[in-house]
Amino acid sequence: MVWVDLVTLLALVQFFLFAAAVSKARSRFGVHAPATTGHPLFERYFRVHQNTLELLVLFIPSMWLAVRYWYPTYVALIGALFLIGRGWYFVAYVNDPKSRTGASALSFAAIGIFWVIVIIGIVRSLIAG
């Protein structure tokens, strides 16, 4: 389970770093709180952060449900794909929002795989009684 703990911590650290990037972009582009619009590059940083928050709500519980039904090391590896996808998404979206598709797909794929694992695990548990 330590690997799943590590992936969870890394997801939170990554999210914090994205928040720091938004803060830096606020200063760089003169977009003062509470504004969430202004310079287009600031808006890209802001959207990456918000999109990641939206997915973390799905990712973390899904990973922790999956680890109840499958090997923790494999679940952590799938979780690492999510982190890679989010890092890629950050770079892609800030540089050119149209280039984010593959990165988005990798993040969503990790969550989808977790859901499949959980559904199979629940069905198997119900059948075993």
Side-chain angles (χ1 to χ4, degrees):
M1 294 281 282
V2 70
W3 294 110
V4 174
D5 293 340
L6 179 61
V7 169
T8 302
L9 177 62
L10 290 174
L12 296 173
V13 168
Q14 183 180 59
F15 184 67
F16 175 81
L17 293 173
F18 290 175
V22 171
S23 179
K24 185 176 178 182
R26 275 191 185 284
S27 295
R28 181 176 170 200
F29 300 112
V31 180
H32 304 288
T36 57
T37 60
H39 194 282
L41 278 175
F42 164 76
E43 291 177 13
R44 292 178 190 179
Y45 282 98
F46 183 78
R47 286 309 315 153
V48 167
H49 186 246
Q50 290 304 301
N51 291 343
T52 301
L53 174 61
E54 293 162 4
L55 286 187
L56 278 177
V57 172
L58 298 172
F59 169 69
I60 291 175
S62 298
M63 182 171 63
W64 279 94
L65 285 168
V67 81
R68 292 175 48 97
Y69 300 104
W70 208 37
Y71 304 103
T73 304
Y74 296 146
V75 170
L77 287 171
I78 296 165
L81 292 177
F82 176 87
L83 296 176
I84 292 165
R86 289 286 90 194
W88 176 16
Y89 184 86
F90 180 93
V91 172
Y93 199 100
V94 168
N95 288 322
D96 176 15
K98 294 176 186 172
S99 70
R100 74 189 189 281
T101 305
S104 255
L106 186 57
S107 299
F108 279 106
I111 294 168
I113 292 167
F114 288 152
W115 289 359
V116 169
I117 292 167
V118 172
I119 291 166
I120 291 169
I122 289 171
V123 168
R124 291 176 74 189
S125 294
L126 289 171
I127 290 171

